[in-house]
Structures are given as structure tokens and as C-alpha cells.
């Protein structure tokens, strides 16, 4: 029984997800270090040297990567559990509880931010500035509703299409709609004055939730979990047939390459920016992030998870620091800004800054290494697992 359970678990564990989550932690830390030490260096990263430019470009793709992987994991979980009534009830319960946990933490973190900035009276306003946890909570419920709709359509058409096929079409339509709205509202978003926190006006609160006015609004940020969800639904890795997966992967790689090329063409005319450095997301940011993350993800899934060109144990040993820190990636996201309590003027040079950022990153690797002995108890990931 235990052997069967392990085989089943291995079938649905994707080392690619852990690799990308873990890797994303490091540019996030380095990017925030740069912004904390010299905000103008982060904002004008192209003028700050090759190393800073690479760090900031990778850092601006961290949130898209987190959201892409989250969308992939959630949709893959839907497909893995199946669409019968009992499993749908479990899926629904798990998703709602997870969304509530995200909402709870976003309220706590935004209130802490309000107090840390000396504006406790504006705590309510801070809560409505959309960031990563807002998107996690929203996309959890949104993807759940799309799954419910796919199952309902399957029942109505008497199984002519499977729920997986229905879900793929629904996610594609929503993705296209978000991208279309991004084109439609981009000029409007660029012209809006940025206020942090959002003003206590219904119109502005709705705008900050729906649009990218230097925040993670639904347009275009929902496109990233949708892209991950489409990848999971189209590949349908819960029913692995290697030949079919390879054929589908070629299609996904081609589409992601098109997105990447479009993004690169836009980068010739505009900057690669997002709310991470105080701007509305550019077309280059959205298209390059979707294309590059999707392309790398599919390649790694084929190499490491489907065909396992490198044995899984060897991969885990080779990339152990990255994989182990991936287990607490959201916990690191929550707690790593505490470095901001220190006076950045104490750091005399950029080389010292990079050395400290490296040591801080190493600290989280060591923390994760020892914390795993207690199954990462009380981490954010442990709370989600325990209470949802």
C-alpha cells in the first residue's frame, strides 16, 4: 500500500515546479535589496550595469512565475482528482479554504505595512492595494469557477467533450479576453496618477482591483495563472501518454515562442517594467514573461518529469539548494523584507550589497534545510496544507 501511494505521489510531483519556484526566490531577494539600498538604481536598472540589469529583469518576472506555477498546480490538481460529485466537493472545499487563508494573510501583511510606514489610520486603504496574495486569492476562486463551469458543460452536452477539454477552451477564452482588455485599457492605465495606498473611493478601489495602475490588477495579471492553467489543462499530465504529451508540448512551445518574440519586439520600443518598480506593466513585460516562463516550463517538464533525462534523484541532489528553498518560497516572500528595518546607508558599496544579498539568500537555504526536519511547521506553506 505504501509503495503504491509513493508511486501515485511521484506521478503527480513535478520537479520543474520546485525548480522554478526555488530559483525565483533569489532574484526576488536581490531585486529587493537593490531597491532598498538605492531605489533610483532599481527604477533605472538599465543604467546601473549588466549585473543589476539582469537581476532586475529576472526579479520583475518573479511574480508572473509564481502566478503561472500556481495556476498550473491548481488546474493540474482539478484534473488529477477528477470531476465526479464527491471529488468536486473536495476540490471546492479545498479551494475556498485556501482562498480564505490568502485573504487572511493579505489583510495581516497590508496592515503591518501600513503601521511600518506610519500610516495605521490608512490600514483599510492598504488592504485594497492589489498585490501577490490578492491575485492568489482571486485566481483560486476564479479557476475553481471555471472548473465548475467545465464540469457543468460536460454534463449538459452528455460527455461529447470531456471536462478537461471544456476547461482548456474556457481558460483560453478568458486568457484572450484578459489580453484584449490589456490592449484596450493600457493607454488609460498609463495616464492614471498613482496613489499609494488607494484612495477611499469606490471608483478608485475598483480600478486598482481590475487595472494595473502600479498594482497587480486583474488586467493583465490574471493572464499569468491562466497561462499556467492552460498549460496544465492542455497537457493533461494526470493522464500521461508520452507521445501525446510530446505532440502537445510542441504546440505549447511554438505558442510561447510567438509570445516571446512579440515581447522582444515590443522591448525595442518600450521599457521592460511593472509595478515592481512603480510602473504600469509594459507589453514587453507581459509577453516576455508569459512566453519565456511557459517555454522554459514545458522544456523542463519534458526533460526532467516526463522523460527524466536526468534521474530524479540526481536532479534533486544537483539542485538541492534551489529545491529545498522552494518548499518555503511564499514564506520567504513574506518574511524577507524585514531587512528593510536597517539603515541602507550603512552599506558602503554595490559589491558589499551583493555580498550581503548572497549571504541572506544562503540563510534561507540553510533555514529550509533544517526546517524540513519538522515538515516546515508553521510556515505559510504548512498552514495552507494544514488548514485547507
Amino acid at each position: 500500500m505504501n509503495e503504491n501511494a509513493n508511486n501515485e505521489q511521484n506521478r503527480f510531483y513535478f520537479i520543474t515546479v520546485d525548480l522554478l519556484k526555488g530559483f525565483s526566490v533569489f532574484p526576488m531577494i536581490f531585486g529587493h535589496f537593490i531597491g532598498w539600498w538605492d531605489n533610483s538604481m532599481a527604477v533605472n536598472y538599465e543604467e546601473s550595469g549588466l549585473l543589476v540589469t539582469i537581476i532586475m529583469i529576472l526579479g520583475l518576472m518573479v511574480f508572473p512565475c509564481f502566478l503561472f506555477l500556481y495556476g498550473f498546480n491548481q488546474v493540474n490538481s482539478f484534473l488529477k482528482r477528477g470531476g465526479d460529485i464527491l471529488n468536486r466537493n473536495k476540490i471546492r472545499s479545498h479551494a475556498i479554504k485556501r482562498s480564505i487563508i490568502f485573504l487572511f494573510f493579505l489583510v495581516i501583511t497590508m496592515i503591518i505595512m501600513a503601521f511600518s510606514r506610519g500610516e495605521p489610520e490608512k490600514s483599510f486603504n492598504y488592504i485594497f492595494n492589489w498585490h501577490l496574495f490578492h491575485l492568489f486569492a482571486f485566481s483560486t476562486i476564479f479557476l475553481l469557477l471555471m472548473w465548475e463551469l467545465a464540469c457543468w458543460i460536460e454534463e449538459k452536452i452528455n460527455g461529447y467533450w470531456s471536462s478537461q477539454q471544456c476547461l482548456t477552451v474556457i481558460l483560453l477564452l478568458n486568457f484572450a479576453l484578459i489580453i484584449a482588455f490589456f490592449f484596450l485599457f493600457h493607454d488609460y492605465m498609463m495616464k492614471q496618477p498613482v496613489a499609494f495606498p488607494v484612495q477611499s473611493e469606490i471608483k478608485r478601489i475598483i480600478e486598482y482591483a481590475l487595472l494595473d495602475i502600479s498594482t497587480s490588477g486583474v488586467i493583465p495579471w490574471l493572464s499569468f495563472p491562466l497561462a499556467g492553467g492552460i498549460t496544465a489543462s492542455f497537457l493533461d499530465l494526470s493522464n500521461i501518454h508520452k507521445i501525446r504529451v510530446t505532440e502537445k508540448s510542441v504546440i505549447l512551445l511554438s505558442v510561447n515562442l510567438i509570445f516571446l518574440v512579440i515581447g522582444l519586439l515590443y522591448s525595442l520600443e518600450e521599457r521592460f517594467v511593472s509595478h515592481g518598480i512603480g510602473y504600469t506593466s509594459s507589453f514587453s513585460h507581459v509577453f516576455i514573461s508569459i512566453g519565456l516562463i511557459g517555454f522554459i516550463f514545458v522544456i523542463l517538464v519534458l526533460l526532467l518529469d516526463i522523460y527524466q533525462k536526468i534521474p530524479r534523484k540526481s536532479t534533486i541532489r544537483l539542485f538541492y539548494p534551489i529545491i529545498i528553498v522552494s518548499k518555503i518560497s511564499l514564506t520567504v516572500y513574506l518574511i524577507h523584507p524585514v531587512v528593510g528595518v536597517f539603515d541602507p546607508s550603512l552599506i558602503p558599496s554595490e559589491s558589499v550589497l551583493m555580498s550581503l544579498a548572497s549571504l541572506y539568500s544562503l540563510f534561507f537555504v540553510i533555514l529550509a534545510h533544517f526546517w524540513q526536519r519538522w515538515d516546515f511547521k508553521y510556515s505559510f506553506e504548512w498552514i495552507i496544507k494544514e488548514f485547507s
Side-chain angles (χ1 to χ4, degrees):
M1 179 66 72
N2 289 336
E3 184 178 349
N4 290 336
N6 288 334
N7 290 336
E8 187 71 10
Q9 182 179 4
N10 288 334
R11 182 183 177 191
F12 297 113
Y13 168 68
F14 296 99
I15 201 167
T16 296
V17 171
D18 280 352
L19 273 177
L20 291 180
K21 276 199 305 181
F23 176 80
S24 297
V25 166
F26 302 108
M28 175 180 69
I29 292 174
F30 275 82
H32 284 166
F33 256 76
I34 293 170
W36 162 69
W37 187 59
D38 186 348
N39 188 60
S40 63
M41 177 185 287
V43 173
N44 303 297
Y45 64 86
E46 303 98 329
E47 304 169 5
S48 304
L50 180 60
L51 179 60
V52 171
T53 299
I54 292 173
I55 290 172
M56 293 307 301
I57 287 176
L58 292 176
L60 291 175
M61 287 194 284
V62 168
F63 278 16
C65 187
F66 278 157
L67 291 166
F68 178 97
L69 296 174
Y70 186 72
F72 173 86
N73 280 341
Q74 187 166 356
V75 170
N76 191 63
S77 176
F78 293 165
L79 299 174
K80 177 178 69 175
R81 295 187 182 190
D84 61 75
I85 296 298
L86 181 60
N87 284 334
R88 282 170 64 183
N89 288 336
K90 290 180 180 178
I91 289 171
R92 188 181 302 117
S93 174
H94 178 74
I96 291 173
K97 289 177 182 177
R98 175 170 287 212
S99 183
I100 291 172
I101 293 171
F102 281 126
L103 287 171
F104 174 78
F105 271 89
L106 78 84
V107 169
I108 297 299
T109 54
M110 298 310 283
I111 289 176
I112 291 174
M113 183 183 292
F115 273 82
S116 68
R117 296 190 174 201
E119 298 180 312
E121 73 281 359
K122 295 183 179 180
S123 296
F124 180 81
N125 304 69
Y126 273 81
I127 291 171
F128 287 96
N129 279 271
W130 275 55
H131 287 287
L132 188 61
F133 279 1
H134 294 76
L135 284 163
F136 278 144
F138 179 81
S139 62
T140 300
I141 297 301
F142 186 86
L143 290 174
L144 172 65
L145 291 175
M146 296 306 100
W147 169 244
E148 297 275 12
L149 177 60
C151 293
W152 179 80
I153 292 174
E154 180 190 26
E155 294 171 358
K156 291 299 180 181
I157 61 178
N158 296 318
Y160 183 76
W161 276 8
S162 68
S163 56
Q164 173 262 329
Q165 292 171 317
C166 294
L167 181 61
T168 302
V169 172
I170 291 170
L171 294 179
L172 278 169
L173 291 174
N174 279 281
F175 178 81
L177 194 62
I178 291 294
I179 295 298
F181 279 138
F182 183 48
F183 275 97
L184 181 63
F185 288 105
H186 189 261
D187 287 344
Y188 175 81
M189 291 187 287
M190 292 280 288
K191 295 175 183 176
Q192 296 308 300
V194 177
F196 190 91
V198 63
Q199 301 166 1
S200 299
E201 300 175 5
I202 296 298
K203 178 178 180 292
R204 294 299 284 173
I205 289 174
I206 293 174
E207 281 186 337
Y208 269 55
L210 293 180
L211 304 176
D212 183 359
I213 307 175
S214 191
T215 59
S216 300
V218 171
I219 301 169
W221 287 83
L222 185 60
S223 64
F224 302 119
L226 282 172
I230 291 167
T231 301
S233 183
F234 185 66
L235 291 178
D236 193 18
L237 296 173
S238 58
N239 298 298
I240 293 177
H241 300 287
K242 290 184 178 179
I243 295 177
R244 289 286 293 150
V245 168
T246 303
E247 292 173 350
K248 291 180 177 181
S249 295
V250 171
I251 296 174
L252 282 177
L253 288 171
S254 301
V255 172
N256 282 310
L257 190 59
I258 291 171
F259 271 86
L260 181 56
V261 170
I262 292 173
L264 290 172
L265 291 175
Y266 270 113
S267 69
L268 299 175
E269 302 176 356
E270 62 179 17
R271 298 183 66 202
F272 185 90
V273 293
S274 78
H275 78 79
I277 53 175
Y279 293 97
T280 292
S281 292
S282 60
F283 290 114
S284 61
H285 175 258
V286 172
F287 283 97
I288 288 176
S289 295
I290 291 173
L292 186 60
I293 293 168
F295 190 88
I296 292 173
F297 181 85
V298 173
I299 290 291
L300 290 179
V301 163
L302 287 173
L303 292 178
L304 302 179
D305 292 299
I306 304 302
Y307 291 102
Q308 297 189 23
K309 294 298 184 180
I310 304 175
R312 178 158 290 179
K313 289 183 180 179
S314 299
T315 303
I316 292 174
R317 284 197 297 267
L318 182 62
F319 297 104
Y320 178 78
I322 295 175
I323 291 174
I324 194 63
V325 83
S326 76
K327 306 299 183 182
I328 55 168
S329 56
L330 289 182
T331 302
V332 175
Y333 164 74
L334 277 172
I335 67 177
H336 84 278
V338 297
V339 71
V341 302
F342 297 102
D343 183 359
S345 64
L346 296 173
I347 300 175
S349 65
E350 182 181 329
S351 59
V352 174
L353 177 76
M354 294 302 174
S355 298
L356 289 175
S358 299
L359 290 174
Y360 199 47
S361 300
L362 180 60
F363 163 75
F364 285 112
V365 174
I366 295 172
L367 176 66
H369 171 72
F370 287 103
W371 205 349
Q372 68 179 324
R373 298 180 182 179
W374 296 277
D375 195 27
F376 304 105
K377 196 170 186 179
Y378 303 123
S379 67
F380 183 78
E381 287 77 5
W382 179 85
I383 291 171
I384 291 179
K385 178 181 175 182
E386 190 73 12
F387 294 101
S388 67

